[in-house]
Structure formats: C-alpha cells, structure tokens
Amino acid sequence: MRPDNAVETAPGAAARRRIPRTADLRRLGRAALLGSGGRAGRLPDAIEHIAKVHRDRHPGADLAILRKAYVLAESSHRGQMRKSGEPYITHPLAVTLILAELGAETTTLTASLLHDTVEDTDVTLDQVREEFGEEVRFLVDGVTKLEKVDYGAAAEPETFRKMLVATGNDVRVMSIKLADRLHNMRTLGVMRPEKQARIAKVTRDVLIPLAERLGVQALKTELEDLVFAILHPDDYLRTTELILEHAALPDPLGAVAEDVRKVLREAGISSEVEVRPRHVVSVHRVRLKRRGAQPGGSDFGRVLIQVAEDADCYAVLGELHTCFTPVIAEFKDFIAAPKFNLYQSLHTAIRDGEGRIAEVLIRTRQMHHVAEAGVIALGNPYATGDGADSDEGERADPTRPGWLARLLEWQREAPDPDFFWSTLRDELAQDREITVFSADGGTVGLPDGATCTDAAYALHGEGAHSCVGVRVNGRLAPLGTALRDGDTVQLLMTEATDGEGYGPSPEWLEHARTPAARIAIARWLEAHPVAPAEQEPAAPAVRSAATAARRAAEPLADTDPPGAAVRMARCCTPVPPDGITGFPIRGGTVAVHRSECPVAARMAASGRATVAVHWRSDAPVTGHRATLYAEALGRPRLLADLTEVIATEGVAIVYAAVEPPQEHRVRHTYTVELPDPGALPALMRAMRAVPGVYDVYRAQEAVAAAQP
C-alpha cells in the first residue's frame, strides 16, 4: 500500500517501546539499494535481521522463500522512493519486521514482503500464485487496495469491505494490514496536518477496534498512542510529561514486585515478576477516572507475573491473597472465562503492609504471548483440521464465532458503501461481547447492549419476522429488553404459514442494535408499507344491549334464607360451580363473590358480616357471566382472532376492552355470557391457543396480582 509518508513523528517514540525495533531501517535501505547481494543462496543483508528474529520464534523455518520474496519485492519496487528519500522497499521490510517480532509464521512474512507489489508495481496476482502458491496470493490480494479510478469516493470503504471478507477466510490478512498501518502511522510526519488527522481517525474508528478484536494488543496499544498524539496533542504532551516525572521518582511498584518475588520464591513457585508500564493512552484514561486526584504507582504500571502452567496461576493467586490484603472488587478470572479476543489472565489487586496498592496480572508465558500477539500467535490457524473449509468455502473464525461472523453476514446486505462505512464504525465501537443461550441449549454471541430483537435475528435470520414475543430466563419480556451475558432466550414464534398480519413494526428498529437486525427489519418495512389504520372488525358474538340487560336481571344464586336481592360481583364474576360467599351492600342487596376472591377476603378481614348464598338449582341454563383477562403480545388482528375464537365456542361477549399496549404487551378484558358454566375451561384453552396470547385467567387472579 503506497503510504505517502516518510519520517517518524517524535510523539510516537514512547509508544514504540511496545515492539522492539532493533534493526536500523536506514541501513536496511542502503542494503536494499545494493540489490540482493552476496552469493547465490545467501540471505540478502537487508533481511538478515528479519530472518534472525523469525528463526528465534520458528527454529525450523525455511528461509529460502523469504529470500525469494525479498528479491521480487526489491526488484519490483526498485526506483520507488518514499517522501523521506528512503527506498520504498524499507516499508515492506518494516512491516515484515513488526510481524516477525510478534511471531508470525513464514507464509505471513512472505506475503508481507510482497503486500504492495500488486498494488504499486507491474507484478500480478497470477505471478504471485505461480511463484509462491495460492495462500500467499490470497493474502496479498486481501490487503491490495481498490483503485480510486474505478470506485471514486467509495474506494476506501469498499477496500475495507474486501479486506474484511478476506479476513473472514484468513485472519492473517488483517494481521498484515494492522502491521502496515502501524508503520505508516510511525512515519506520518511529512503529511499535511489535515491528512494526518483523517488517517488517524480511520485508524481510531476501524483498525484499532479490529486489533482489539483480534487480540493483537502490541499493535493496538502503539496505534492508540500514535493516534492520541495526532488528534489530542495537548493531552498527549501533558500525559507524557506526567510519565517522565513519575519515572524520575522511586517506583513504589518496584518494591511491591520485590515482595511478590520473595513470597513466590518461598512458596516454591517458579515465576517471572516484572513491573509492566502502562502506555500513554492507558495512563490518560486512569487520570480521567481519578478526576484530578494525585496519581499513584498503579496509575503508571501493573505487576505482571508469568508462570509455566495454568494451575500455577491459581497457586500464585492463592499466595498473593494469603500474604497480602486483596482488593476483592478488582478480581477477574479471564482464564476460566476468556475474553472474546483470546485474552486469558487473572486480574487482581493487592495492598502491601505499607498501604501501597498494586494491580497484578497473572498468566502463563503462552497466555502472555497470545495477549500480545493475538491471532498472530496462532501461527497458521488453518494448518490443522480445526480450520478446515466449511461447506460454503469459508474458513472458520479461529478466535471465536461471533463478531467476525456477524460482520460478514450483514456486510453482504449493506445497500451502499456509505451505509457500510458508517455501520462498520458503529459496530466496531461496541468493545464488549456477550454470550446468550437459546432455549435448545445453543449459544449466540452478541455485542454488549444487544436486545432480544437482535437475538431473534441472530438465531433465525429473516425468520425472526414471525417472532411475537420472548421469554428471558423464563419470564416474558419485551423485545426491546437489553440482554446480559449468560441470559437464556426463548423466542415465541407465530405458527402462521402465510405471514399475514405478522411482521416487524417500525419500533423494532428502535430496539435493534446489530446491523444484521436493522437491515432485515428495514428491508421488511420497505416491502410492507404500513397502510392507514383500519378499524378492527366488530366482534361477531356481541349481543345487543337489551339482551345483555335481560340476562343480567335473571338471578343465578339465592341467599339463605331466601328473599334478598342478589348481584354477582364484577370483580370476580362467579359462575357455577364456583364456591361463593355473600356480603350485604346498600339497599339490602347481597353481593356474591367467589370464595377465593381477594376483595371478599379483605371485606371479611375488616369484620364485614357475611351472608350464606348458594347456586339456584333452577337457575337459567344460559346467562352465566365470567370476566376473563387475556395477556398477549400486540399484533395486527389480535382482537378479531380472539373474538372469533370466543364466538366459535358459542359464547357471547357482553363487554370487551383493550388496554393501551406497553412494550408490545397488551391486555384484553372480556365479560362473556356462557351457554353453560362447564364451557369456561374449554373457552380459556381455546383463547390461549390464539397466536400471541400467552395467558388467560379469571378476573380475581388479576386482582390478586395487583395486591402488595
């Protein structure tokens, strides 16, 4: 990738300590100008240091392919110069050195040496395939930019789209891109300030989050510091001055580290203990959290303990919590529950006898390598059967299924480059991932803050259009409910096959956080424009007011002794063979309640006198009334479907009311006239079977639910 830059910016010097730079690139540039040099088969001087670093990590590596790649890259770029006056070949050499320091395997280093040849020289992808094989060709193609001549303003977003698709098949593509951007950021000084800011913002919004997700912390932290220096120079300067002032003072963490070494030595645990300085952005964030308070030792660094085995990590933790005072709120176990980017470590904080607090990281040496290099530490993640191609020809994500799979899914449906670019930045801004469980025991990864709507589309794709509700951890919840890590989600889907009357409403867009859900909902809404609201059809079984009044006047129960006027209580609408009790009210009338009615219980508790009542044996065959509540998930035609079911059961509706919906949930109230009291259980079962209805119950249950 042609970097239009040349010299290193001074503000990034502190950050570059993250990746040792023991090679003099200017010397390598002079060596490159002299050509491959040496006898046939001898390594060119320009890549001797890269080869040495690579052999330290991979003793059995075949260096012949690196020599071959360098010769092609050097001859192809010969005559091209960076703005600093250095030979252009110094850029691919620097990128390759960064990857070698992180332990990348030979194929990645070969592709990194060639990563700009197809873009900036006459070398073709076919030539790369013929000389180095399909894997190297794929990696080089993955990081090759699309031409502005062909794509115009869409060239940058479409290049990233192409690169991400390639990363879905081989994560080493993004490893090369990240190292390429790091070297370009290191040498951004000759660019115009506005162009520096533009590149820094893209790095901040897209590449740094990608480095975090791929676990490449060594690249991520240095990129953060370089971006910070460009976009916030005043804050960067104040923070670096604070770091220098702290470095001139005795470090309290050094004393804590020495005490820790002594404790572990006495416990017989072999370990390496060191003070690990925080990088500039990390110190700045800590300062912001402390809100002007005097910074302490842990604000500038943490104690890092490396051991051999996983079990040793927990042994170290036990010794620390026994011999020092632990700060329990700071303990986190990322070994038992690794982060979504491969990171594993134990985090704790301890207070020594003098009151000094130190944050401590405990990990194995392999964990430390993975924490620094992320997916690069995997070498070739596709060398074994674990990374075999899937049925669709795409390789599995070697980190964890989740963010990368989601990104690859929704980017296919992104309608235009601007939408893709803005949505990509929003997606990458989510820096945490949660795992939720489906009702069948499966799992799905979602960004932190995702809702039940997002889970529905992650699990069912466009089939989620027929979702009518959800239970979270066994309890009914609105579709807009934000999910937490470990939640269990049971989606309630309609059984309708034609989809008539079902589908997402515009408010679903307000609940959706993931691009895949938003794209699917927006596409459905566009294809199904909302028609003007139509009045629900009248209930087919509503009796006339005159008929209802006549039925209500016929008494169903008698007092004991008989003679008093009787009225069925509206709060519980008793019907035979319910147990009943009576209470005298104004005018000598007796109100008849179900025995378990909460209103009746309160009246009895207050000392109200009761009247014995019983069902009349000669009561009318019809005219028994009951009030039912139907709790449902709001959808079109729900009222019509419920009234149709009630009519089908031969039951008349005396009164019906629908409460305003709240977060998709709605409650219907029906006072019905039964042809026979025994018809009530069958009616309630039929109403529960209506799609979207999750419960139907008698009136007194609603009263009970409202009691404190």
Side-chain angles (χ1 to χ4, degrees):
M1 293 160 209
R2 188 188 300 277
D4 299 319
N5 45 47
V7 298
E8 298 177 357
T9 54
R16 287 196 295 275
R17 291 197 299 268
R18 304 292 298 173
I19 298 178
R21 301 187 66 229
T22 52
D24 183 349
L25 291 180
R26 296 184 185 276
R27 179 183 63 78
L28 296 184
R30 289 193 296 272
L33 284 173
L34 300 175
S36 57
R39 296 183 300 275
R42 182 179 179 275
L43 281 175
D45 294 340
I47 61 168
E48 277 186 350
H49 182 73
I50 293 172
K52 180 179 183 300
V53 172
H54 185 44
R55 273 283 174 85
D56 287 343
R57 296 278 189 171
H58 302 275
D62 180 8
L63 301 181
I65 192 171
L66 289 182
R67 178 187 185 281
K68 185 177 178 182
Y70 168 74
V71 170
L72 176 59
E74 190 280 325
S75 61
S76 301
H77 289 296
R78 189 174 297 164
Q80 296 179 352
M81 308 295 287
R82 306 190 88 204
K83 286 188 176 182
S84 64
E86 294 174 316
Y88 190 85
I89 189 63
T90 57
H91 172 64
L93 283 171
V95 172
T96 306
L97 178 60
I98 290 169
L99 291 168
E101 292 281 3
L102 291 173
E105 38 69 59
T106 308
T107 301
T108 302
L109 299 187
T110 302
S112 70
L113 283 169
L114 300 169
H115 78 271
D116 274 340
T117 54
V118 173
E119 182 179 320
D120 293 335
T121 76
D122 294 332
V123 175
T124 67
L125 288 172
D126 288 339
Q127 286 177 281
V128 173
R129 180 195 291 111
E130 290 172 6
E131 295 290 330
F132 301 97
E134 178 58 30
E135 267 192 310
V136 173
R137 186 212 70 82
F138 183 87
L139 297 178
V140 172
D141 183 36
V143 294
T144 298
K145 288 181 182 175
L146 299 173
E147 293 291 341
K148 285 189 177 180
V149 174
D150 299 324
Y151 289 85
E156 185 173 39
E158 289 299 335
T159 293
F160 270 97
R161 189 201 296 255
K162 167 178 174 281
M163 198 176 304
L164 288 166
V165 171
T167 300
N169 281 323
D170 196 324
V171 293
R172 293 175 293 180
V173 170
M174 192 54 65
S175 301
I176 297 171
K177 175 60 182 177
L178 291 171
D180 171 77
R181 179 54 60 94
L182 176 58
H183 184 248
N184 285 344
M185 288 294 298
R186 283 174 175 174
T187 59
L188 207 58
V190 297
M191 307 286 288
R192 298 187 310 275
E194 60 272 18
K195 192 165 186 180
Q196 289 187 39
R198 185 186 68 79
I199 294 172
K201 287 176 181 176
V202 173
T203 303
R204 176 196 64 194
D205 295 343
V206 178
L207 286 164
I208 288 175
L210 285 170
E212 168 73 16
R213 280 157 175 72
L214 294 173
V216 194
Q217 293 297 318
L219 301 186
K220 179 229 176 188
T221 52
E222 186 173 351
L223 284 171
E224 280 186 329
D225 286 352
L226 292 167
V227 167
F228 188 45
I230 292 171
L231 298 182
H232 305 281
D234 294 339
D235 287 338
Y236 182 90
L237 182 60
R238 282 194 294 269
T239 306
T240 51
E241 287 175 349
L242 192 64
I243 293 173
L244 291 174
E245 290 173 7
H246 172 76
L249 301 173
D251 185 3
L253 288 183
V256 175
E258 185 55 41
D259 290 344
V260 169
R261 290 189 191 96
K262 181 179 178 182
V263 165
L264 298 182
R265 207 165 35 242
E266 291 175 353
I269 301 174
S270 176
S271 62
E272 300 170 19
V273 181
E274 62 178 300
V275 175
R276 183 175 177 81
R278 293 182 184 271
H279 64 108
V280 180
V281 171
S282 178
V283 173
H284 176 69
R285 289 171 181 157
V286 171
R287 285 181 60 219
L288 292 179
K289 288 181 181 179
R290 293 179 64 88
R291 298 178 181 176
Q294 186 65 28
S298 285
D299 297 336
F300 297 94
R302 294 179 287 188
V303 175
L304 172 65
I305 304 173
Q306 296 183 57
V307 293
E309 304 291 340
D310 290 13
D312 295 336
C313 294
Y314 293 98
V316 168
L317 181 69
E319 292 296 328
L320 294 184
H321 284 192
T322 300
C323 299
F324 300 92
T325 302
V327 182
I328 299 301
E330 298 296 326
F331 174 68
K332 297 181 182 68
D333 188 346
F334 294 118
I335 295 178
K339 290 186 178 181
F340 68 93
N341 60 358
L342 302 175
Y343 179 85
Q344 288 185 286
S345 191
L346 295 178
H347 290 204
T348 190
I350 57 174
R351 187 192 304 269
D352 69 4
E354 298 183 16
R356 296 171 297 203
I357 294 179
E359 294 183 26
V360 184
L361 310 177
I362 310 168
R363 57 180 68 146
T364 66
R365 295 175 183 86
Q366 176 60 21
M367 289 177 191
H368 180 65
H369 179 42
V370 173
E372 292 291 291
V375 294
I376 299 175
L378 300 178
N380 179 1
Y382 312 105
T384 66
D386 294 340
D389 293 353
S390 69
D391 294 339
E392 298 180 356
E394 293 184 355
R395 287 167 156 173
D397 175 6
T399 54
R400 279 178 58 185
W403 70 269
L404 184 54
R406 289 197 310 273
L407 192 154
L408 293 174
E409 178 183 354
W410 70 255
Q411 68 81 25
R412 297 186 187 100
E413 308 298 334
D416 57 69
D418 289 339
F419 178 89
F420 166 77
W421 196 229
S422 61
T423 306
L424 175 66
R425 295 181 184 211
D426 292 342
E427 170 91 345
L428 294 177
Q430 304 291 334
D431 59 357
R432 280 192 68 240
E433 180 160 317
I434 61 173
T435 299
V436 299
F437 297 88
S438 60
D440 60 4
T443 62
V444 60
L446 294 169
D448 189 28
T451 66
C452 297
T453 302
D454 299 306
Y457 282 92
L459 289 166
H460 295 286
E462 294 195 353
H465 293 336
S466 61
C467 182
V468 293
V470 63
R471 293 182 187 272
V472 178
N473 301 325
R475 302 185 66 178
L476 193 79
L479 283 171
T481 301
L483 295 169
R484 294 177 297 181
D485 198 34
D487 280 347
T488 298
V489 177
Q490 178 188 0
L491 299 170
L492 307 176
M493 315 294 285
T494 179
E495 297 179 1
T497 57
D498 58 2
E500 181 181 354
Y502 298 95
S505 64
E507 66 179 349
W508 285 26
L509 279 175
E510 300 174 10
H511 304 322
R513 300 290 181 269
T514 57
R518 294 184 63 83
I519 291 172
I521 295 167
R523 184 188 297 115
W524 193 93
L525 292 174
E526 183 178 353
H528 301 80
V530 178
E534 297 181 1
Q535 187 175 355
E536 287 276 9
V542 176
R543 301 269 183 123
S544 69
T547 303
R550 179 174 55 80
R551 291 294 189 189
E554 298 178 5
L556 302 176
D558 254 337
T559 58
D560 192 9
V566 173
R567 190 181 78 186
M568 298 295 114
R570 294 181 181 177
C571 58
C572 57
T573 57
V575 296
D578 294 338
I580 52 177
T581 187
F583 292 88
I585 57 177
R586 284 193 299 266
T589 301
V590 174
V592 178
H593 292 259
R594 296 179 67 189
S595 299
E596 60 267 34
C597 175
V599 174
R602 286 203 304 272
M603 294 170 69
S606 66
R608 291 280 295 272
T610 61
V611 175
V613 291
H614 61 270
W615 295 111
R616 288 176 51 192
S617 59
D618 60 342
V621 177
T622 61
H624 301 281
R625 290 186 181 182
T627 298
L628 301 176
Y629 291 97
E631 298 276 1
L633 297 153
R635 63 170 178 81
R637 293 187 54 80
L638 178 61
L639 178 60
D641 290 348
L642 278 168
T643 54
E644 183 179 352
V645 164
I646 294 171
T648 301
E649 293 294 317
V651 176
I653 298 175
V654 176
Y655 169 84
V658 180
E659 296 179 9
Q662 295 183 356
E663 296 185 316
H664 292 286
R665 293 181 290 182
V666 65
R667 186 167 80 163
H668 290 206
T669 303
Y670 297 97
T671 298
V672 296
E673 205 166 73
L674 302 166
D676 180 89
L680 186 59
L683 172 63
M684 295 173 70
R685 285 195 298 271
M687 292 173 68
R688 288 192 185 103
V690 172
V693 176
Y694 60 88
D695 202 3
V696 176
Y697 48 88
R698 297 280 299 277
Q700 96 286 348
E701 298 176 36
V703 175
Q707 302 308 308

Coordinates of all heavy atoms in Angstrom, one line a residue, residues 3-53:
P3 N 2.2 4.4 1.0 CA 2.0 5.3 2.1 C 2.3 6.7 1.8 O 3.0 7.0 1.5 CB 2.9 4.8 3.2 CG 4.0 4.2 2.5 CD 3.5 3.7 1.1
D4 N 2.0 7.7 1.5 CA 2.6 9.0 1.1 C 3.3 9.6 2.3 O 3.0 10.7 2.6 CB 1.5 9.9 0.6 CG 0.8 9.3 -0.6 OD1 1.4 8.7 -1.4 OD2 -0.5 9.3 -0.7
N5 N 4.1 8.9 3.0 CA 4.8 9.4 4.1 C 6.2 8.9 4.2 O 6.6 8.0 3.6 CB 4.0 9.1 5.4 CG 3.6 7.7 5.5 OD1 4.4 6.8 5.2 ND2 2.3 7.5 5.8
A6 N 7.0 9.5 5.2 CA 8.4 9.2 5.2 C 9.0 9.2 6.5 O 9.8 8.3 6.8 CB 9.1 10.1 4.3
V7 N 8.8 10.2 7.3 CA 9.6 10.3 8.5 C 8.8 10.0 9.8 O 7.6 10.1 9.7 CB 10.3 11.7 8.7 CG1 11.2 12.0 7.5 CG2 9.2 12.7 8.8
E8 N 9.5 9.6 10.8 CA 8.7 9.2 12.0 C 8.4 10.5 12.9 O 9.2 11.4 13.0 CB 9.6 8.3 12.9 CG 9.9 7.0 12.1 CD 10.8 6.1 12.9 OE1 11.2 6.5 14.0 OE2 11.0 5.0 12.5
T9 N 7.2 10.4 13.4 CA 6.8 11.6 14.3 C 7.4 11.4 15.7 O 7.3 10.3 16.3 CB 5.3 11.6 14.4 OG1 4.8 10.3 14.8 CG2 4.6 11.9 13.0
A10 N 7.9 12.4 16.2 CA 8.5 12.4 17.6 C 7.6 11.9 18.7 O 7.9 11.2 19.5 CB 9.2 13.7 17.9
P11 N 6.3 12.4 18.6 CA 5.4 12.0 19.8 C 5.2 10.5 19.9 O 4.8 10.0 21.0 CB 4.1 12.7 19.4 CG 4.5 13.8 18.5 CD 5.6 13.3 17.8
G12 N 5.4 9.7 18.9 CA 5.2 8.3 19.0 C 6.3 7.5 19.6 O 6.3 6.3 19.7
A13 N 7.4 8.2 19.9 CA 8.6 7.5 20.3 C 8.4 6.6 21.6 O 8.8 5.5 21.6 CB 9.7 8.5 20.6
A14 N 7.6 7.1 22.5 CA 7.4 6.4 23.7 C 6.6 5.1 23.4 O 6.8 4.0 24.0 CB 6.7 7.2 24.8
A15 N 5.6 5.2 22.5 CA 4.8 4.1 22.2 C 5.6 3.0 21.5 O 5.2 1.8 21.7 CB 3.6 4.5 21.3
R16 N 6.6 3.3 20.8 CA 7.3 2.3 20.0 C 8.1 1.3 20.9 O 8.6 0.3 20.4 CB 8.2 3.0 19.0 CG 7.4 3.6 17.9 CD 8.4 3.9 16.7 NE 9.4 4.9 17.0 CZ 9.2 6.3 17.0 NH1 8.0 6.7 16.6 NH2 10.1 7.1 17.3
R17 N 8.1 1.6 22.2 CA 8.8 0.6 23.0 C 8.0 -0.7 23.1 O 8.5 -1.7 23.5 CB 8.9 1.2 24.4 CG 9.9 2.3 24.6 CD 10.3 2.5 26.0 NE 9.2 2.9 26.8 CZ 8.8 4.2 27.0 NH1 9.4 5.2 26.5 NH2 7.7 4.4 27.8
R18 N 6.7 -0.6 22.7 CA 5.9 -1.8 22.7 C 6.4 -2.9 21.8 O 6.3 -4.1 22.1 CB 4.5 -1.5 22.4 CG 3.8 -0.4 23.2 CD 3.6 -0.8 24.6 NE 2.7 -2.0 24.7 CZ 2.5 -2.6 25.8 NH1 3.1 -2.3 26.9 NH2 1.6 -3.6 25.8
I19 N 7.0 -2.6 20.7 CA 7.5 -3.5 19.8 C 9.0 -3.2 19.6 O 9.3 -2.1 19.0 CB 6.8 -3.6 18.4 CG1 5.4 -4.0 18.6 CG2 7.5 -4.5 17.5 CD1 4.5 -4.0 17.4
P20 N 9.9 -4.0 20.0 CA 11.4 -3.7 19.9 C 11.7 -3.4 18.4 O 11.3 -4.2 17.5 CB 12.1 -4.9 20.4 CG 11.0 -5.6 21.3 CD 9.7 -5.3 20.6
R21 N 12.5 -2.4 18.2 CA 12.9 -2.1 16.8 C 14.5 -2.1 16.8 O 15.1 -1.1 16.9 CB 12.4 -0.7 16.4 CG 10.9 -0.7 16.4 CD 10.4 0.6 15.8 NE 10.7 0.7 14.4 CZ 11.2 1.7 13.8 NH1 11.6 2.8 14.5 NH2 11.5 1.7 12.5
T22 N 15.0 -3.3 16.8 CA 16.5 -3.4 16.9 C 17.2 -3.3 15.6 O 18.4 -3.4 15.6 CB 16.8 -4.8 17.6 OG1 16.1 -5.8 16.8 CG2 16.3 -4.8 19.0
A23 N 16.4 -3.2 14.5 CA 17.0 -3.1 13.2 C 17.0 -1.6 12.8 O 16.1 -0.9 13.0 CB 16.3 -3.9 12.2
D24 N 18.1 -1.2 12.1 CA 18.2 0.2 11.6 C 17.6 0.1 10.1 O 18.3 -0.4 9.2 CB 19.6 0.6 11.6 CG 19.8 2.1 11.1 OD1 18.8 2.6 10.5 OD2 20.9 2.6 11.2
L25 N 16.4 0.7 9.9 CA 15.8 0.6 8.6 C 16.5 1.4 7.6 O 16.5 1.1 6.4 CB 14.3 1.1 8.7 CG 13.4 0.1 9.5 CD1 12.0 0.7 9.5 CD2 13.4 -1.3 8.9
R26 N 17.2 2.5 8.0 CA 18.0 3.2 7.0 C 19.2 2.4 6.5 O 19.5 2.4 5.3 CB 18.5 4.5 7.7 CG 17.4 5.5 8.1 CD 18.0 6.8 8.6 NE 16.9 7.7 9.1 CZ 16.1 8.4 8.3 NH1 16.4 8.5 7.0 NH2 15.2 9.2 8.8
R27 N 19.8 1.6 7.4 CA 20.8 0.7 7.0 C 20.3 -0.4 6.1 O 20.9 -0.7 5.0 CB 21.5 0.0 8.2 CG 22.6 -1.0 7.8 CD 23.2 -1.7 9.0 NE 22.2 -2.5 9.7 CZ 21.8 -3.7 9.3 NH1 22.3 -4.2 8.2 NH2 20.9 -4.4 10.0
L28 N 19.1 -0.8 6.4 CA 18.4 -1.8 5.5 C 18.1 -1.2 4.2 O 18.2 -1.8 3.1 CB 17.1 -2.3 6.1 CG 17.3 -3.1 7.5 CD1 15.9 -3.6 7.9 CD2 18.2 -4.3 7.3
G29 N 17.8 0.1 4.2 CA 17.5 0.8 2.9 C 18.8 0.8 2.0 O 18.7 0.6 0.8
R30 N 19.9 1.1 2.7 CA 21.1 1.2 1.9 C 21.5 -0.2 1.4 O 21.9 -0.4 0.2 CB 22.3 1.7 2.8 CG 22.2 3.2 3.1 CD 23.5 3.7 3.7 NE 23.8 3.0 5.0 CZ 23.4 3.5 6.2 NH1 22.6 4.6 6.2 NH2 23.7 2.9 7.3
A31 N 21.2 -1.2 2.2 CA 21.4 -2.6 1.7 C 20.5 -2.9 0.6 O 20.9 -3.6 -0.4 CB 21.3 -3.6 2.9
A32 N 19.3 -2.4 0.6 CA 18.3 -2.7 -0.4 C 18.8 -2.1 -1.7 O 18.6 -2.7 -2.8 CB 16.9 -2.2 0.0
L33 N 19.3 -0.9 -1.6 CA 19.8 -0.2 -2.9 C 20.9 -1.0 -3.6 O 21.1 -0.9 -4.8 CB 20.3 1.2 -2.5 CG 19.2 2.2 -2.2 CD1 19.8 3.5 -1.8 CD2 18.4 2.5 -3.5
L34 N 21.6 -1.8 -2.8 CA 22.7 -2.6 -3.4 C 22.2 -3.9 -4.1 O 23.0 -4.6 -4.6 CB 23.8 -2.9 -2.4 CG 24.4 -1.7 -1.7 CD1 25.3 -2.1 -0.6 CD2 25.2 -0.8 -2.7
G35 N 20.9 -4.1 -4.0 CA 20.3 -5.3 -4.6 C 20.4 -6.5 -3.6 O 20.7 -6.3 -2.4
S36 N 20.3 -7.7 -4.1 CA 20.2 -8.9 -3.2 C 21.6 -9.2 -2.7 O 21.7 -9.6 -1.5 CB 19.7 -10.1 -4.0 OG 20.5 -10.3 -5.2
G37 N 22.6 -8.9 -3.4 CA 24.0 -9.0 -2.9 C 24.4 -10.5 -2.5 O 23.5 -11.3 -2.4
G38 N 25.6 -10.7 -2.3 CA 26.1 -12.0 -1.9 C 26.0 -13.1 -2.9 O 25.6 -12.9 -4.0
R39 N 26.5 -14.2 -2.5 CA 26.5 -15.4 -3.4 C 25.1 -16.0 -3.5 O 24.2 -15.7 -2.6 CB 27.4 -16.5 -2.9 CG 28.9 -16.0 -2.9 CD 29.8 -17.2 -2.4 NE 29.5 -17.6 -1.1 CZ 30.0 -17.0 0.0 NH1 30.8 -16.0 -0.1 NH2 29.6 -17.5 1.2
A40 N 24.8 -16.7 -4.5 CA 23.5 -17.3 -4.7 C 23.2 -18.2 -3.5 O 24.0 -19.0 -3.0 CB 23.5 -18.2 -6.0
G41 N 22.0 -18.1 -3.0 CA 21.5 -18.8 -1.9 C 21.7 -18.1 -0.6 O 21.2 -18.5 0.5
R42 N 22.6 -17.1 -0.6 CA 22.9 -16.4 0.7 C 21.8 -15.4 0.9 O 21.3 -14.7 0.0 CB 24.2 -15.7 0.6 CG 24.7 -14.9 1.9 CD 26.0 -14.3 1.6 NE 26.4 -13.5 2.8 CZ 26.1 -12.3 3.1 NH1 25.2 -11.7 2.3 NH2 26.5 -11.7 4.2
L43 N 21.4 -15.2 2.2 CA 20.4 -14.2 2.5 C 20.9 -12.8 2.2 O 22.0 -12.4 2.6 CB 20.0 -14.3 4.0 CG 19.0 -15.4 4.4 CD1 18.9 -15.4 5.9 CD2 17.7 -15.3 3.7
P44 N 20.1 -12.0 1.6 CA 20.5 -10.6 1.4 C 20.6 -9.9 2.7 O 20.0 -10.2 3.7 CB 19.3 -10.0 0.6 CG 18.6 -11.2 0.0 CD 18.8 -12.3 1.0
D45 N 21.5 -8.9 2.8 CA 21.8 -8.2 4.1 C 20.6 -7.6 4.6 O 20.4 -7.5 5.8 CB 22.9 -7.1 3.8 CG 24.2 -7.8 3.5 OD1 24.4 -8.9 3.8 OD2 25.1 -7.0 2.9
A46 N 19.7 -7.1 3.7 CA 18.5 -6.3 4.2 C 17.5 -7.2 5.0 O 16.8 -6.6 5.8 CB 17.8 -5.7 3.0
I47 N 17.5 -8.5 4.8 CA 16.6 -9.3 5.6 C 17.3 -10.2 6.6 O 16.6 -11.1 7.2 CB 15.7 -10.1 4.6 CG1 16.5 -11.1 3.8 CG2 14.8 -9.3 3.8 CD1 15.7 -12.1 3.1
E48 N 18.6 -10.0 6.8 CA 19.3 -10.8 7.8 C 18.6 -10.7 9.2 O 18.4 -11.7 9.9 CB 20.7 -10.5 7.8 CG 21.6 -11.1 6.7 CD 23.0 -10.9 6.9 OE1 23.4 -10.0 7.8 OE2 23.8 -11.5 6.2
H49 N 18.3 -9.5 9.6 CA 17.8 -9.3 10.9 C 16.4 -9.9 11.0 O 16.0 -10.5 12.0 CB 17.7 -7.8 11.3 CG 17.2 -7.5 12.6 ND1 17.9 -7.8 13.8 CD2 16.0 -7.1 13.1 CE1 17.2 -7.5 14.8 NE2 16.0 -7.1 14.4
I50 N 15.6 -9.7 10.0 CA 14.2 -10.3 10.0 C 14.3 -11.8 10.1 O 13.6 -12.5 10.9 CB 13.5 -9.9 8.7 CG1 13.2 -8.4 8.7 CG2 12.2 -10.7 8.6 CD1 12.6 -7.9 7.4
A51 N 15.3 -12.4 9.3 CA 15.5 -13.9 9.4 C 15.9 -14.3 10.8 O 15.4 -15.4 11.3 CB 16.5 -14.3 8.3
K52 N 16.8 -13.6 11.4 CA 17.2 -14.0 12.8 C 16.1 -13.9 13.8 O 15.9 -14.9 14.5 CB 18.3 -13.0 13.2 CG 18.9 -13.3 14.6 CD 20.0 -12.3 15.0 CE 20.6 -12.7 16.4 NZ 19.6 -12.7 17.4
V53 N 15.2 -12.9 13.7 CA 14.1 -12.8 14.6 C 13.1 -13.9 14.3 O 12.6 -14.6 15.3 CB 13.4 -11.4 14.5 CG1 12.1 -11.4 15.2 CG2 14.3 -10.3 14.9

